[in-house]
Amino acid sequence: MIVTPHREGAADGPHLFRPLQLRSVTLPNRIVLSPMCQYCAVDGVPDDWHFQHLASRAVGGAGLVFTEVAHVEPRGRITPGCLGTYSEAQALGFQRIVRFIKQQGVVPGMQIGHAGRKASANLPWRGGQPLGAAEGAWTTVAPSAVAFADGWPTPDALDEGGIKEVLAAFRRGVAMARDVGFEVIELHAAHGYLGHQFLSPLANRRNDGYGGDFAGRTRFLHELIDATRSEWPDHLPLFVRLSVTDWVEGGWNEAETTELVRALAARGDVDLIDCSSGGMHPAQKIEVFPGYQVPFAERLRARCDIATGAVGMIQSPHQAEQIVATGAADLVFMARTLLADPYWPQRAAHVLGAPRTWPPNMGRGDAFA
Ligand SMILES: Cc1cc2nc3c(=O)[nH]c(=O)nc-3n(C[C@H](O)[C@H](O)[C@H](O)COP(=O)(O)O)c2cc1C
């Protein structure tokens, strides 16, 4: 028997533990498990490893738990160990995870994506470089036939029919996410993957309606959102993860992101922008320090009138509390901090003076936490 903890956030007290309503979904607090590839799936199927990864962060008290990026077709996987949204076995694996997360009073989210020209790579602990033919490399696709970096294969440029096929694969993936019970979906359009490849002039050299000027380069993302919303119910929230800047001269930048996010806010069907950066080009120059991407979330929230999520080296409870309390962002996405400590939200509640929400069968551990 599963014992569901009492998770309703309080309307007062620390801002990090106040609930947030997005459409019909109420997140019990502002802590989000940021998507994190585990690189260990066989045929894209979530298994016991993925179950424990996501289940333990739900038990630990994050309000919203995102899967790692799940890819809409086999050639869109970053590595052979990445998850997919295109088979019945994958749907069954996700279903079990979703059921457990909900039983914890936590909201399950799926991040969905396509790696484009950065697909067909080796596992990070095997170097992360492009797979060789003997390792099962496959042909990648992208907006233009431009390789990610020296030593990376040149992708096939998608023609208009190819773009339609990719959008159809997204529709099928979103339908799977809906049918297995996810309550939030996030489009991965950051970190140099396909959605971002269309946005950035460093990867998009097209001269048809999907490239060239700002309107052309942002068209794919708008069509991707249309495709997503055609399957994703109106009452459920849709997030978009963007790289706010490529950190490269001549690349996608914050001014273009701001213009894009204003347009996304005006559409009215996107609920939150998850503000990340980089991943487009090996020449990127990033100065990394605690909270280094928070100003992106803060400026976009203020300038574009849309909810934002902050991510990147958010480590301490007071740092996280300040981000929400000052209105820099609505949600705090955390990856490595929660990887290191699934129970971080419980500890943060203690530090900030919010009620803790251990499941009752773990209550006696509270005294020792
Ligand atoms: C092991 C690992 C896997 C990741 N996989 C994804 C992913 O699937 N999708 C994504 O958008 N970001 C991914 N990221 C990036 C994180 O979501 C996050 O944006 C980044 O690690 C910065 O946050 P942090 O400082 O809290 O770790 C990954 C990060 C790590 C460490």
Side-chain angles (χ1 to χ4, degrees):
M1 189 183 78
I2 301 275
V3 190
T4 302
H6 177 80
R7 290 234 195 251
E8 286 106 70
D12 51 7
H15 291 74
L16 192 60
F17 290 93
R18 295 187 189 178
L20 179 68
Q21 172 133 17
L22 295 164
R23 297 184 186 248
S24 68
V25 176
T26 304
L27 310 185
N29 62 50
R30 308 305 182 93
I31 303 166
V32 181
L33 175 71
S34 198
M36 266 184 290
C37 293
Q38 299 296 295
Y39 307 106
C40 59
V42 176
D43 296 331
V45 177
D47 63 16
D48 285 355
W49 181 268
H50 304 90
F51 181 86
Q52 73 74 31
H53 168 62
L54 300 167
S56 55
R57 273 80 202 175
V59 171
L64 168 58
V65 166
F66 268 112
T67 66
E68 67 189 73
V69 58
H71 298 101
V72 297
E73 57 173 343
R75 68 179 175 174
R77 289 170 303 160
I78 304 168
T79 74
C82 286
L83 293 180
T85 61
Y86 44 84
S87 81
E88 191 53 33
Q90 293 161 358
L92 289 172
F94 282 124
Q95 205 165 38
R96 174 175 171 235
I97 292 168
V98 164
R99 193 185 319 125
F100 184 87
I101 293 173
K102 287 182 176 171
Q103 282 164 341
Q104 294 307 308
V106 169
V107 175
M110 175 189 274
Q111 190 191 53
I112 192 164
H114 190 301
R117 67 179 187 171
K118 285 175 77 175
S120 189
N122 215 330
L123 310 182
W125 51 87
R126 291 190 192 142
Q129 291 303 302
L131 292 170
E135 295 165 312
W138 61 85
T139 303
T140 59
V141 294
S144 303
V146 179
F148 168 58
D150 288 348
W152 283 72
T154 302
D156 287 349
L158 288 161
D159 60 16
E160 293 213 2
I163 291 174
K164 285 199 172 64
E165 279 168 28
V166 169
L167 291 171
F170 267 98
R171 270 199 300 279
R172 290 191 293 273
V174 171
M176 173 198 280
R178 177 199 63 212
D179 291 346
V180 302
F182 282 102
E183 294 179 319
V184 179
I185 198 151
E186 174 168 283
L187 295 173
H188 193 355
H191 303 168
Y193 298 116
L194 189 67
H196 186 190
Q197 287 162 28
F198 272 92
L199 296 175
S200 175
L202 299 178
N204 185 342
R205 306 273 168 78
R206 301 175 75 97
N207 48 25
D208 65 357
Y210 288 96
D213 60 6
F214 177 82
R217 284 182 283 114
T218 57
R219 177 175 165 192
F220 177 78
L221 186 62
H222 281 290
E223 291 187 1
L224 185 54
I225 294 166
D226 293 341
T228 301
R229 272 293 175 200
S230 73
E231 297 292 343
W232 192 244
D234 279 350
H235 69 92
L236 296 179
L238 163 61
F239 294 5
V240 178
R241 175 167 269 198
L242 294 173
S243 280
V244 174
T245 173
D246 289 347
W247 300 108
V248 179
E249 197 63 41
W252 177 253
N253 57 35
E254 188 176 353
E256 286 193 310
T257 300
T258 306
E259 196 179 338
L260 171 65
V261 173
R262 283 203 179 109
L264 299 187
R267 291 177 58 111
D269 54 1
V270 173
D271 299 287
L272 181 137
I273 305 298
D274 172 8
C275 305
S276 192
S277 70
M280 174 51 65
H281 198 276
Q284 65 185 20
K285 291 208 169 38
I286 312 182
E287 198 193 330
V288 176
F289 52 88
Y292 70 105
Q293 294 177 137
V294 174
F296 293 142
E298 183 167 21
R299 288 193 289 265
L300 288 169
R301 189 173 188 264
R303 292 173 183 166
C304 307
D305 195 21
I306 193 165
T308 60
V311 67
M313 292 193 71
I314 299 167
Q315 290 158 293
S316 84
H318 289 292
Q319 181 194 8
E321 168 67 8
Q322 201 203 9
I323 289 167
V324 183
T326 59
D330 300 273
L331 295 178
V332 173
F333 285 62
M334 304 177 77
R336 290 164 294 176
T337 298
L338 293 180
L339 203 57
D341 180 4
Y343 300 114
W344 186 92
Q346 303 286 2
R347 296 187 206 285
H350 179 65
V351 170
L352 297 173
R356 285 205 256 185
T357 54
W358 292 108
N361 39 5
M362 291 174 72
R364 291 185 69 183
D366 195 23
F368 283 23

